[in-house]
Amino acid sequence: MAIRKVAVMGHPVLRQVSETVAPGEVDTQRIQRLIDDLIETAHEYDGAGIASPQIYEPLRICLIEIRDNPRYPHFPNVPLTILVNPKITVLNDDKLPKYEGCLSVPGIRGLVHRSRGIRVDALDRHGEPLSFQARDLHAATVQHELDHLDGKLFVDNVTDTRTLTFIPEYDRYWHKKGIEMLEAAGAELRKKS
Ligand code: NI
């Protein structure tokens, strides 16, 4: 396993449409190593998720894992979930307002609006079918990761560029407001212990 370098905004690999993984290839050593590297890299940089093109491998693989994440302290925890060739069906297209960040857009947050309910159909890391429903912050995180597989970054979804903020300014001026917006929408937040 290895911590990989993360591609940042401007690198063309982040703007490619990633390739589907042949189901029979998922269990190969090459793909299993890639998945291990994604996990290790996400842990190293406290990513709530990471997508394969972010480590210069434009394949349709991403992961979500939220475990008391210091970059997103208000996010409810989500167990490690590997998604191969994921597809989303929107179940609830009401929009949740949410400040997002990305390991590939370091130091910046911005306000985006994500569908509040989705179903995800994918393969797991052994090539077995995997389906689940997700809502609110979990659903938004999955949508962010899937966008990477289609060459999109969260900044593409920032409709009001005045909400773009560096992280110290986010912490000072916008974090509390962001939480209030999520609370007003009735989104589940992580309970502080
Ligand atoms: Ni990202």
Side-chain angles (χ1 to χ4, degrees):
M1 287 173 50
I3 295 164
R4 303 273 288 261
K5 187 179 175 201
V6 175
V8 296
M9 183 166 64
H11 195 290
V13 74
L14 295 172
R15 292 308 193 174
Q16 277 179 243
V17 176
S18 288
E19 278 180 37
T20 300
V21 182
E25 296 279 304
V26 179
D27 242 340
T28 59
Q29 196 178 50
R30 172 176 163 251
I31 299 296
Q32 292 299 312
R33 272 201 193 136
L34 171 60
I35 290 170
D36 286 338
D37 287 355
L38 279 168
I39 295 169
E40 197 168 3
T41 305
H43 286 173
E44 175 69 15
Y45 296 106
D46 291 321
I50 194 167
S52 188
Q54 290 183 275
I55 60 166
Y56 304 86
E57 304 261 10
L59 294 170
R60 300 190 80 80
I61 303 172
C62 62
L63 70 82
I64 314 287
E65 182 180 32
I66 305 169
R67 200 172 50 195
D68 304 342
N69 191 303
R71 292 176 70 234
Y72 302 101
H74 51 298
F75 278 27
N77 286 342
V78 176
L80 174 63
T81 312
I82 309 292
L83 301 174
V84 178
N85 301 337
K87 291 197 167 58
I88 282 176
T89 308
V90 173
L91 302 177
N92 177 357
D93 204 23
D94 291 347
K95 301 293 197 224
L96 186 73
K98 169 177 174 271
Y99 278 88
E100 291 195 1
C102 180
L103 298 179
S104 293
V105 189
I108 291 179
R109 299 264 163 102
L111 187 65
V112 300
H113 295 80
R114 299 287 190 184
S115 299
R116 296 194 63 171
I118 58 172
R119 189 180 75 235
V120 182
D121 294 289
L123 301 177
D124 69 13
R125 76 171 293 168
H126 301 295
E128 300 294 327
L130 168 70
S131 293
F132 60 93
Q133 292 187 12
R135 62 191 173 91
D136 290 341
L137 290 169
H138 183 194
T141 306
V142 174
Q143 289 166 72
H144 175 115
E145 298 312 324
L146 260 75
D147 276 354
H148 278 300
L149 306 182
D150 289 322
K152 295 183 206 152
L153 298 173
F154 82 86
V155 289
D156 305 344
N157 297 319
V158 173
T159 49
D160 183 350
T161 52
R162 292 172 299 179
T163 68
L164 288 168
T165 169
F166 293 108
I167 287 176
E169 286 69 24
Y170 168 79
D171 288 340
R172 193 173 305 158
Y173 300 112
W174 306 106
H175 180 68
K176 189 160 169 280
K177 185 178 153 81
I179 294 214
E180 284 166 2
M181 283 192 297
L182 292 167
E183 282 172 340
E188 188 198 339
L189 303 181
R190 185 160 79 88
K191 318 258 182 309
K192 292 266 164 46
S193 51

